[in-house]
């Protein structure tokens, strides 16, 4: 009896551990007739919609749909009945950009959405953002003033996180004021030597960080930073409370005043992270890159533009780019300042230009890798493609059209492999 009870408990533990919710039984698919999801301006794109339950079509299903330029649909329909669970649609653009068809099915009181976003001559997209005449002076002065302060680095060894191959530390150093610090997780190979380095800059939000131990284990120094000037190893509920409290809406603080904008200390702090890496005796003095996604994509652009020691840059669905296009009802980047406020003051428009990824992208000179998805509803491909188009340095574009504001495993692997290649690491 005891043996059977043990086997039962073991079976229960295993099934509980490995059983999980994966996907949905009802799926809305929207597919284009071009495999690469791209068309020339003036061509007509054809879309096929299918509402499926257990892989088969759902009869008499009710749907809503909208179609047109992304974020600015020109067609909106509600409560349409699809007799056999399918519908066809055609659309086109007369100018470079992206066209989106989004369909939401209503089944048993639940909603299931699918979308498809196609490009029309996306290689011709140009951002609307203008650059302040004193842009370079503004950032040069900000960095000069910050660098008057000693980094005063503090290291705390994290034995529970460290491995036989990698020493892991929580680190902090002075940012742009005597008592203002940047915190992060530093990972250094245990084997004595001098290594290339990688700075990882974060997406939006408030959270703890654990560092890039894997890349460090391959033979690189890695530093993953937070941006809010608080330790990065506290319990998650602490960050949740901060995000609901004092850091709520941090991305829109003092947009109209470049000197007091929340992101001024963030951008400066990210560059100071390069200063810190360069101070390490284990750095090889030659190779240092920066990478991030979303908000981290913007910060990657900024760091690569402002610090010529950066030897490579990789940005995935880069946010905070081309805000001004939304003044012309063209999709711009998160956080969409002028989508929600279509009649902003001149001060807000002028202030945003100092923090627009487009103006940093124009100043990048190192090899760069870009990747994003066409179905991204947070960072529209219109803004991401526009940024890519203005980069004049050696660059690589890897598009995964089906993705939204996330990445596929293959995309992650390609991203990581490109970073290792730039650091001349074989794995």
């Amino acid at each position: 009896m005891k043996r059977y009870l043990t086997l039962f408990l073991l079976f229960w533990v295993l099934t509980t551990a490995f059983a999980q919710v994966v996907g949905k039984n009802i799926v809305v698919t929207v597919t284009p007739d071009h495999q690469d999801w791209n068309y020339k301006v003036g061509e007509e794109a054809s879309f096929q919609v299918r509402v499926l339950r257990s892989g088969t079509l759902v009869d008499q299903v009710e749907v809503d749909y909208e179609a047109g330029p992304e974020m600015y649909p020109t067609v909106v329909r509600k409560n349409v009945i699809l007799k056999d669970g399918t519908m066809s649609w055609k659309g086109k653009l007369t100018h470079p950009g992206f066209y989106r068809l989004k369909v939401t099915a209503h089944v048993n009181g639940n909603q299931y959405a699918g979308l498809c976003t196609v490009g029309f001559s996306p290689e011709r997209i140009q951002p609307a953002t203008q650059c302040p005449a004193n842009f370079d002076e503004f950032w040069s002065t900000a960095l000069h003033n910050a660098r008057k302060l000693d980094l005063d680095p503090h290291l705390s060894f994290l034995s529970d996180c460290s491995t036989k191959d990698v020493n892991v530390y929580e680190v902090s150093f002075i940012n742009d004021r005597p008592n203002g610090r940047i915190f992060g997780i530093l990972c250094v190979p245990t084997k004595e030597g001098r290594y290339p380095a990688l700075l990882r800059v974060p997406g939006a939000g408030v959270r703890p960080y654990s560092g890039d131990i894997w890349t460090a284990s391959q033979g690189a120094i890695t530093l993953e930073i937070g941006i809010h000037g608080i330790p990065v190893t506290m319990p998650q509920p602490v960050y949740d409370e901060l995000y609901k409290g004092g850091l709520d809406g941090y991305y829109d603080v003092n947009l109209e005043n470049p000197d007091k904008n929340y992101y001024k200390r963030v951008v400066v702090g990210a560059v100071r992270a390069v200063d810190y890496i360069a101070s390490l005796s284990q750095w090889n003095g030659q190779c240092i890159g920066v990478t991030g996604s979303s908000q981290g994509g913007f910060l990657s652009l900024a760091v690569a533009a402002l610090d010529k020691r950066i030897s490579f840059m990789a940005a995935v669905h880069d946010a905070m780019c081309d805000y001004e296009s939304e003044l012309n009802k063209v999709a711009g980047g998160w956080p969409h300042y002028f989508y929600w406020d279509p009649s902003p003051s001149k001060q807000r428009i002028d202030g945003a230009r100092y923090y627009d990824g487009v103006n940093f992208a124009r100043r990048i000179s190192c090899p760069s890798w870009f990747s994003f998805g066409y179905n991204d509803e947070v960072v529209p491909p219109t803004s991401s493609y526009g940024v890519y188009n203005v980069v004049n340095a050696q660059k690589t574009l890897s598009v995964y059209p089906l993705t939204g504001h996330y990445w596929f495993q293959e995309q992650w692997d390609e991203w990581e492999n490109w970073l290792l290649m730039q650091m001349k690491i074989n794995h």
Side-chain angles (χ1 to χ4, degrees), residues 124-193:
R124 291 169 47 196
I125 293 173
Q126 289 296 310
T129 293
Q130 299 180 44
C131 188
N134 69 336
F135 183 89
D136 294 312
E137 180 186 359
F138 175 85
W139 286 109
S140 177
T141 300
L143 292 172
H144 175 75
N145 290 338
R147 284 170 171 155
K148 292 177 181 177
L149 304 172
D150 186 85
L151 285 168
D152 185 29
H154 293 178
L155 276 172
S156 177
F157 182 61
L158 302 177
S159 58
D160 291 345
C161 301
S162 298
T163 70
K164 66 180 181 62
D165 299 314
V166 179
N167 287 327
V168 182
Y169 308 86
E170 182 171 25
V171 62
S172 72
F173 45 87
I174 294 296
N175 186 0
D176 62 345
R177 63 202 68 182
N179 296 315
R181 304 186 75 84
I182 285 286
F183 291 78
I185 301 294
L186 175 70
C187 300
V188 182
T190 56
K191 184 178 178 181
E192 187 174 342

Side-chain angles (χ1 to χ4, degrees), residues 254-271:
N254 292 322
L255 182 66
E256 68 284 350
N257 187 335
D259 272 315
K260 296 186 179 299
N261 189 303
Y262 189 89
Y263 278 103
K264 184 179 181 183
R265 58 168 299 280
V266 173
V267 171
V268 171
V271 177

Side-chain angles (χ1 to χ4, degrees), residues 240-252:
D240 294 340
E241 292 303 317
L242 285 169
Y243 199 34
K244 291 185 291 186
L247 293 176
D248 181 27
Y250 71 86
Y251 44 79
D252 196 16

Side-chain angles (χ1 to χ4, degrees), residues 173-332:
F173 45 87
I174 294 296
N175 186 0
D176 62 345
R177 63 202 68 182
N179 296 315
R181 304 186 75 84
I182 285 286
F183 291 78
I185 301 294
L186 175 70
C187 300
V188 182
T190 56
K191 184 178 178 181
E192 187 174 342
R194 291 167 65 81
Y195 296 94
L198 178 66
L199 172 63
R200 287 193 177 272
V201 282
V206 190
R207 65 182 72 83
Y209 295 95
S210 56
D212 185 357
I213 298 172
W214 186 85
T215 302
S217 74
Q218 304 302 297
I221 297 166
T222 65
L223 175 60
E224 181 179 39
I225 63 169
I227 65 168
H228 299 296
I230 55 178
V232 295
T233 55
M234 297 183 291
Q236 180 64 52
V238 175
Y239 302 100
D240 294 340
E241 292 303 317
L242 285 169
Y243 199 34
K244 291 185 291 186
L247 293 176
D248 181 27
Y250 71 86
Y251 44 79
D252 196 16
V253 172
N254 292 322
L255 182 66
E256 68 284 350
N257 187 335
D259 272 315
K260 296 186 179 299
N261 189 303
Y262 189 89
Y263 278 103
K264 184 179 181 183
R265 58 168 299 280
V266 173
V267 171
V268 171
V271 177
R272 291 283 272 171
V274 180
D275 293 343
Y276 174 70
I277 292 173
S279 74
L280 298 174
S281 61
Q282 298 95 331
W283 181 50
N284 66 11
Q286 298 175 340
C287 180
I288 179 170
V290 61
T291 192
S293 66
S294 195
Q295 174 189 264
F298 159 74
L299 290 173
S300 297
L301 297 171
V303 172
L306 295 176
D307 196 320
K308 297 309 176 185
R309 291 172 296 183
I310 294 295
S311 48
F312 62 93
M313 187 280 307
V316 177
H317 42 245
D318 38 13
M320 304 182 67
C321 296
D322 197 22
Y323 309 123
E324 286 181 66
S325 276
E326 292 178 347
L327 296 175
N328 303 319
K329 295 192 180 301
V330 174

Side-chain angles (χ1 to χ4, degrees), residues 53 113 115 357 408 420:
R53 179 193 287 116
L115 69 155
F408 290 142
L420 294 176

